[in-house]
Amino acid sequence: MKYFVAQGEDRRLTAESRQALRGSFVELSDGVTHYELKGPEDGETVVMAGGLTVPLFYWDGLVTELNARGLRTLTCSAYGRGYSDRVRGRYDETLFARQLTELTERLGLTTRPLHLVGTSMGALVAMNYAARHRSLVPSLTIVGPAGLAKPRPTSPHRLLRNDLLAGVVARRRGRRILEGHLGHNVRDPELGSKLTDMVLDAFRFEGSLYAVFDTLQHLPVSGRDDLFRQTGALGIPTLLLWGDEDDVTPLAHLNTARALLKPQHHHVIPKCGHMAPFERPRHVADQIVPFVAARAERLDS
């Protein structure tokens, strides 16, 4: 799909425009990455990989909880999201895993263990990273993962494989499709409104819709059983979390995920939609903190 700037994308990310924006920035091989490293320096480090559309602000509630309980956190906006560069290239797992690899190395974090948390599409990225850096990863937390739906001939993702068609759909209906997708992510209308404002504000930067639709073209979010199975075979202690009212990656996939990932622990979060870290940060932290602590104790013993 040819790079494009959509209607409503009236801002550009530059060194000057970033000076007024929250967070830190570092130039990596594919572009500038927007990140935040927070919490006690002597705490176990938790690295988070987000979903299809969300900037690093998505993690704010969970970051506050984890920092308060002694954990250090690294969040970043994937390329094409938040204040990270809009790459004029292919958006796939390799790109996003390379971004995490380069970011953790540049920040000097790879001398210590890195606990991974991935949600939705970010779960696929986290699994990809874990496979490449098995020795660095003492724990993996997967939340409402994409990838377990069966591919369908009529799936929109299949239609988007045609570059010309993908470009037409993205330009003409992209923003409407994005808003509809966001509306299904959380149960609470007030939180839903907050989420939509957060995402759409960052989507005013040129190249944002291109990034999302190119990701839909090149990062398969269905039929990924093999990736789950391979991750389960890595032997990384895994925590699997799921919202009981997730309409995007339905709870019906939980048993398949358990069979493939073989998690040490799984937990269903009540009255929660697709974005558990955003909707129920305290509840998610209640699960992650003891899980990480148990893994850290084993490393120290």
Side-chain angles (χ1 to χ4, degrees):
M1 183 168 60
K2 188 177 179 182
Y3 178 85
F4 65 88
V5 175
Q7 186 174 3
E9 294 180 353
D10 55 1
R11 298 177 184 172
R12 296 188 67 192
L13 282 165
T14 64
E16 291 72 28
S17 67
R18 283 188 171 106
Q19 288 179 0
L21 301 176
R22 165 188 153 183
S24 301
F25 301 92
V26 61
E27 183 151 10
L28 306 176
S29 64
D30 295 289
V32 174
T33 288
H34 170 218
Y35 74 93
E36 288 185 336
L37 181 60
K38 292 185 169 184
E41 291 189 11
D42 60 348
E44 293 289 313
T45 303
V46 180
V47 179
M48 307 187 202
L52 176 66
T53 61
V54 295
L56 62 79
F57 318 126
Y58 165 87
W59 299 102
D60 282 358
L62 181 59
V63 163
T64 298
E65 291 286 342
L66 296 182
N67 292 164
R69 305 186 202 191
L71 296 179
R72 197 180 193 196
T73 55
L74 174 65
T75 56
C76 73
S77 295
Y79 290 121
R81 286 81 180 159
Y83 304 147
S84 289
D85 271 352
R86 275 58 177 155
V87 176
R88 297 192 182 211
R90 175 175 291 222
Y91 285 83
D92 56 17
E93 275 160 77
T94 301
L95 173 70
F96 298 128
R98 183 166 62 242
Q99 183 185 24
L100 278 185
T101 297
E102 293 182 0
L103 180 61
T104 52
E105 289 175 351
R106 181 68 66 86
L107 297 178
L109 300 179
T110 53
T111 58
R112 297 180 58 191
L114 299 174
H115 302 268
L116 290 186
V117 177
T119 180
S120 193
M121 182 194 83
L124 306 179
V125 175
M127 286 188 257
N128 189 296
Y129 182 97
R132 294 165 184 256
H133 307 282
R134 170 65 187 91
S135 62
L136 281 178
V137 182
S139 80
L140 175 64
T141 298
I142 298 296
V143 189
L148 292 173
K150 302 302 179 188
R152 300 191 312 257
T154 57
S155 166
H157 298 93
R158 284 178 175 258
L159 299 176
L160 289 172
R161 288 179 186 172
N162 180 298
D163 279 351
L164 181 61
L165 179 60
V168 170
V169 170
R171 285 181 179 86
R172 293 184 180 177
R173 301 190 59 209
R175 195 170 183 89
R176 191 183 311 168
I177 292 171
L178 174 63
E179 290 176 4
H181 168 75
L182 294 173
H184 293 293
N185 278 288
V186 298
R187 293 175 67 256
D188 184 325
E190 188 174 328
L191 274 179
S193 178
K194 180 181 177 183
L195 171 71
T196 299
D197 289 346
M198 175 203 306
V199 171
L200 293 184
D201 181 65
F203 271 71
R204 290 183 62 183
F205 291 101
E206 292 181 1
S208 297
L209 277 175
Y210 165 78
V212 167
F213 278 82
D214 197 82
T215 304
L216 291 174
Q217 273 196 302
H218 296 120
L219 202 165
V221 290
S222 62
R224 306 301 306 275
D225 289 29
D226 283 349
L227 177 62
F228 281 75
R229 188 178 294 109
Q230 290 161 10
T231 303
L234 293 174
I236 298 173
T238 300
L239 169 64
L240 179 62
L241 303 176
W242 222 300
D244 67 341
E245 297 183 30
D246 188 334
D247 291 332
V248 178
T249 55
L251 187 60
H253 298 308
L254 174 65
N255 287 337
T256 301
R258 288 181 62 195
L260 297 173
L261 284 176
K262 300 178 173 60
Q264 269 64 29
H265 183 64
H266 72 277
H267 179 74
V268 176
I269 301 170
K271 297 181 180 179
C272 182
H274 179 55
M275 292 189 164
F278 179 75
E279 297 175 74
R280 298 283 185 272
R282 184 171 298 176
H283 198 132
V284 171
D286 286 344
Q287 297 296 317
I288 290 177
V289 171
F291 190 74
V292 166
R295 267 71 250 168
E297 285 176 11
R298 289 188 182 182
L299 290 174
D300 291 337
S301 61

